Amino acid sequence: MIALTIRCIIIYALLLIAMRLTGKRQIGELEISELITTLLLSELAAIPITDPNIPLLYAIVPIFVLCALEVIITYLTSVNPKLRSVIAGKPSAVIVKGRINQSELKKLRMSASELMSQLRINGICDPSEVLYAFFEEDGQISVLEKNKCDYLFLLVLDGHVSSFDLEQSGWNEERIKRYLDSKKILISDILLMTLDRKGKISIILKEEK
């Protein structure tokens, strides 16, 4: 019994360290790769606890391998937007300027009832009151009301053009490049470049620049 208690404490401490290293968020905010890692970690941790004949090393090594993979994947997706869209997906506009995007709902296999439920959770009863509603990568629906915000198109994020917002804004990569050339700014130097519905552009450069 004492040995089992000690094994539980060791595995618990190990998981705390692992989750801290990988920067895990709340379950509802996990991306696909993070959710898979979390589920696998829980399974690996349970094996040596339920079976005292299995060496702790059989759990410790796979746990740290998984954590290392998650850290590597997180880094790669942060510097490569295309890889991120493949692994984590990208936001989907389910409502655009008060109109429900039914083709996107079909792709997401989301019913009108589910959409309305999410709108009510966000305090919205009428879709026509919504400027944009996005199905985010973590499975949440974010809602922007017409009367409460002036939506910002995120043209550039972390030195890369945001293809999703670019489609919505009416701009293209060539137009962004011409604008930045006129300001003598490189895309790679930009942390955030936004465009509001009035055409105002804001640029935040990376601190090292």
Side-chain angles (χ1 to χ4, degrees):
M1 187 65 179
I2 295 176
L4 182 60
T5 301
I6 293 174
R7 289 165 74 93
C8 284
I9 293 172
I10 293 173
I11 292 296
Y12 178 73
L14 182 63
L15 284 177
L16 280 179
I17 295 171
M19 299 295 275
R20 185 69 175 171
L21 288 175
T22 53
K24 291 290 166 277
R25 298 166 285 182
Q26 296 178 12
I27 292 297
E29 299 175 348
L30 295 180
E31 294 181 354
I32 293 174
S33 65
E34 294 173 330
L35 180 59
I36 291 172
T37 300
T38 302
L39 293 174
L40 287 175
L41 286 176
S42 65
E43 289 295 320
L44 288 169
I47 293 172
I49 292 177
T50 56
D51 189 348
N53 294 318
I54 296 177
L56 279 176
L57 198 63
Y58 282 30
I60 293 174
V61 173
I63 283 174
F64 277 107
V65 168
L66 280 175
C67 290
L69 285 174
E70 179 59 31
V71 170
I72 292 170
I73 290 173
T74 301
Y75 171 74
L76 292 176
T77 55
S78 69
V79 299
N80 190 326
K82 291 183 178 179
L83 180 61
R84 176 177 176 79
S85 65
V86 170
I87 293 176
K90 62 180 182 178
S92 299
V94 291
I95 297 180
V96 178
K97 297 179 181 178
R99 298 186 63 181
I100 295 176
N101 190 338
Q102 296 184 38
S103 61
E104 281 299 315
L105 288 184
K106 290 179 180 178
K107 290 179 184 178
L108 296 169
R109 296 188 295 279
M110 176 182 289
S111 67
S113 175
E114 290 174 304
L115 176 61
M116 291 306 298
S117 174
Q118 289 295 318
L119 291 182
R120 288 194 295 271
I121 290 173
N122 283 275
I124 306 292
C125 297
D126 185 355
S128 65
E129 298 175 0
V130 177
L131 181 61
Y132 289 100
F134 298 108
F135 185 84
E136 304 289 358
E137 297 102 318
D138 60 6
Q140 305 282 333
I141 287 186
S142 56
V143 179
L144 306 171
E145 294 182 64
K146 286 182 178 179
N147 299 326
K148 293 187 178 180
C149 75
D150 186 9
Y151 181 66
L152 288 176
F153 296 103
L154 309 178
L155 300 182
V156 178
L157 288 167
D158 295 314
H160 298 279
V161 174
S162 175
S163 58
F164 175 76
D165 274 41
L166 205 60
E167 295 171 5
Q168 308 292 328
S169 69
W171 278 49
N172 54 42
E173 291 193 38
E174 183 60 33
R175 186 174 178 182
I176 291 175
K177 187 176 183 302
R178 287 200 306 270
Y179 179 84
L180 293 178
D181 284 345
S182 70
K183 302 292 183 180
K184 297 182 180 179
I185 299 174
L186 298 175
I187 290 180
S188 58
D189 293 343
I190 297 175
L191 177 70
L192 180 64
M193 177 178 176
T194 63
L195 170 73
D196 67 20
R197 291 192 294 162
K198 296 178 181 178
K200 180 182 177 181
I201 294 174
S202 296
I203 296 175
I204 299 175
L205 296 177
K206 295 178 181 178
E207 286 186 352
E208 61 267 25
K209 302 300 178 182

